[in-house]
Each structure stands twice: as C-alpha cells, then as structure tokens.
Amino acid sequence: MTLPKIPLAGVVGNPIAHSKSPRLHGYWLRQMRVPGHYVPIEVTPDKLMETLRFLPNIGFVGLNVTVPYKEKALAIADSVTDRATIIGAANTLNFRRDGKIHADNTDGYGFLQNIRQSVPDWDPRGGPAVVLGAGGASRAVVVTLLDAGVPEIRLTNRTRVRAEKMREDFGKRIKIVDWVQAGNVLDDATTVINTTSLGMTGKPEMRVPLDGLRPGTVVNDLVYAPLETRFLATARAQGCRVVDGLGMLLHQAVPGFERWFGFRPDVTPAVREAMLR
Ligand code: ATR
C-alpha cells in the first residue's frame, strides 16, 4: 500500500528567521488537522533560481516569497497572474505537476480582505484615498484600490520619483502629493493607508501631521509590529476607524494555503491571538 504524499510548502527569503508565515501555516495545519508541512527557506540570491526549480522534485507544491525575492520570483516564473504582473512582484508560487512555476500576488487581496473584515461597511468608492509610501507594498495597495473603484488616490512618498513612476504605471486617478504636504490632504479622505516602514519597531516614527484626519475615516497601517502604531493610536484618538496590519498578513496567506493543502482556512480572532503570542 502506498501512502498519500504529504504536501510540502514554505516561504523563501533572506533573512527568513523573522517570518511569521511558518507559524501561521503551522497553526492552520494543526487546527484543521490537515496533513502537510510549511518551512522557512533561506537562500542566497545566486541560489534562488535553482532552489525554485529543485523544490518540486522533493514534494513541494508551492511557496510564499518574501523580501528580497518578490520581483525575482516573478521573473523566474513560467506563468504569471494579471495581478502579479501589474503589481510587479510575486508572493505566492504554485508548482504545477509538469514542474512549471505559476506566480501570483495575494498582497492586495490580503489588504482588501483585512479592511473588509474590520470595517464591513467600508466603501472604497466613497471618496479619495491617501496612500503614504510608494514601495512594493504600496503598489499592491494602489492596484487593489483602483480595482475596487476608488475615485482618486493621493500618493505621497519621501522619494517623489517613485510616486511619479506609479502614476505613469497606474494612470490619472493617482495624484502626487509632496511628502511634506501629506498632512494637508487628509481632511476629505475616506481611507488613509500607511505603506511605509515608518513606525515599525526599530524604524523612525512617522512625522506626518495627522490633525486633519476626520472622525469616521478608515485608517490602515500595514505595519503590524507594534500592532498599534502611533499613527493608528493618533487616528483612533481622533475618531477614525482604525485597521491594523496583522490582518493583511493573515489574509494574504489564505489563497496559498487553500491551493497547496486543499482546505480554505479562516482568519479568526484565535489565529490572530496565536500570531501575537
Ligand atoms: P515595501 O516593499 O515594504 O513597501 P520598500 O519598497 O523598501 O518596502 O518601501 C519602503 C517605503 O517606506 C518607501 O515608500 C520608503 O520611501 P522611499 O521611497 O523614499 O525610500 C518609505 N520609507 C522608509 N523609510 C522612510 C523614512 N525614514 N521616511 C520616509 N519614508 C520612508
């Protein structure tokens, strides 16, 4: 009698020790009693391609990809989803039976699901959004907001040319705002998102003046360590509806887990708790 193969998956990056994904997938595997393993994989840049090509041979069904390989993984893949192409990065790889690598990006999906779960009546079409930052995470957020029908995105970044590049890529609904002017475009925004690393443990604090924020505005920080950044605490004190960044991490993992292990996991208060322990 041959036993069924146990699917293997993991997350590839460098460094990888800090990644919360092994704990998250491990939690779901145990909780749902699904056979499978999910491991952290640290590789150097010169070994990325051969690692991705080799892993399917030993039972891997897919991988998450994290810093600094999200763009490289997209380039290596044999096929790519539209959303990964337009974002310009891959965070989820599926290894097909014929050994081909299919790349997707679920960061925008995770971002959207996180806000929807936290603020069920949030309507992205209801008014302008302000996006702070123009890095990789910002691209996923901006593509997703545009797709969800947001009428205008005020995009602001310390390095202005990165924001300008995004306007070229994503079109005229993007309005560039000078980084030093960011505090002046908040008062009629319905959604405000920090995609920069400012406020993260070990990084500088965000200094954008937030007194323009109106009560009821949905304010989301992609930073989740600490869970309540000063940005979110200030917004909360001004009556905004705040959404922390942990949920995005949890939701972006759902499509990969479902594809690799065959069951769709739920993002529950219990899994949030487990990730914070
Ligand atoms: P990620 O993929 O997580 O978005 P990234 O591409 O390195 O990472 O982008 C980091 C973002 O944080 C950028 O918008 C960056 O601004 P720059 O494009 O000017 O570098 C922003 N950021 C990082 N440190 C910052 C700081 N001290 N002040 C302002 N913005 C900062």
Side-chain angles (χ1 to χ4, degrees), residues 19-274:
S19 173
K20 284 187 181 283
S21 293
R23 200 189 323 170
L24 173 58
H25 287 266
Y27 175 91
W28 279 329
L29 286 167
R30 279 192 306 280
Q31 187 228 359
M32 299 167 77
R33 296 180 201 279
V34 172
H37 297 285
Y38 185 103
V39 293
I41 301 168
E42 183 169 297
V43 297
T44 51
D46 56 313
K47 293 282 188 295
L48 180 66
M49 168 105 82
E50 66 186 82
T51 303
L52 296 186
R53 293 285 171 204
F54 175 71
L55 289 176
N57 301 329
I58 56 167
F60 275 77
V61 292
L63 287 179
N64 285 125
V65 184
T66 188
V67 180
Y69 297 137
K70 288 184 173 189
E71 289 84 11
K72 281 203 184 83
L74 188 80
I76 292 171
D78 302 296
S79 62
V80 177
T81 61
D82 289 347
R83 59 185 180 179
T85 304
I86 187 162
I87 292 167
N91 76 331
T92 305
L93 304 178
N94 297 307
F95 299 146
R96 298 195 327 219
R97 255 167 237 237
D98 59 4
K100 296 266 165 67
I101 300 173
H102 182 67
D104 191 9
N105 191 312
T106 66
D107 284 334
Y109 166 84
F111 157 75
L112 197 68
Q113 291 302 109
N114 183 32
I115 298 195
R116 291 227 159 105
Q117 189 178 41
S118 309
V119 186
D121 66 347
W122 174 66
D123 181 6
R125 292 161 303 182
V130 175
V131 174
L132 306 167
S138 171
R139 290 181 72 90
V141 165
V142 163
V143 165
T144 306
L145 286 173
L146 290 173
D147 209 38
V150 73
E152 176 180 310
I153 297 178
R154 297 166 185 166
L155 182 63
T156 181
N157 195 50
R158 174 181 63 176
T159 311
R160 190 182 164 104
V161 288
R162 288 185 97 184
E164 282 166 355
K165 173 73 170 65
M166 285 178 63
R167 184 162 192 276
E168 271 168 41
D169 290 350
F170 303 137
K172 295 202 160 42
R173 271 191 284 165
I174 314 273
K175 312 282 180 219
I176 313 284
V177 175
D178 236 44
W179 182 242
V180 290
Q181 295 295 329
N184 298 331
V185 296
L186 301 173
D187 60 342
D188 62 340
T190 51
T191 315
V192 178
I193 303 128
N194 173 41
T195 75
T196 75
S197 50
L198 295 173
M200 195 185 287
T201 309
K203 296 280 163 85
E205 267 304 340
M206 154 125 46
R207 306 226 170 270
V208 172
L210 299 174
D211 30 304
L213 282 174
R214 292 285 172 84
T217 302
V218 173
V219 177
N220 175 214
D221 201 334
L222 266 43
V223 171
Y224 57 81
L227 197 56
E228 177 136 312
T229 56
R230 205 154 80 188
F231 172 65
L232 286 187
T234 308
R236 186 193 296 283
Q238 285 172 226
C240 299
R241 294 180 287 175
V242 305
V243 181
D244 68 53
L246 182 59
M248 175 170 166
L249 173 81
L250 307 182
H251 283 285
Q252 63 78 31
V254 169
F257 187 97
E258 182 178 26
R259 173 69 75 99
W260 305 324
F261 301 119
F263 295 88
R264 191 167 182 85
D266 288 323
V267 175
T268 57
V271 66
R272 268 180 70 90
E273 279 288 300

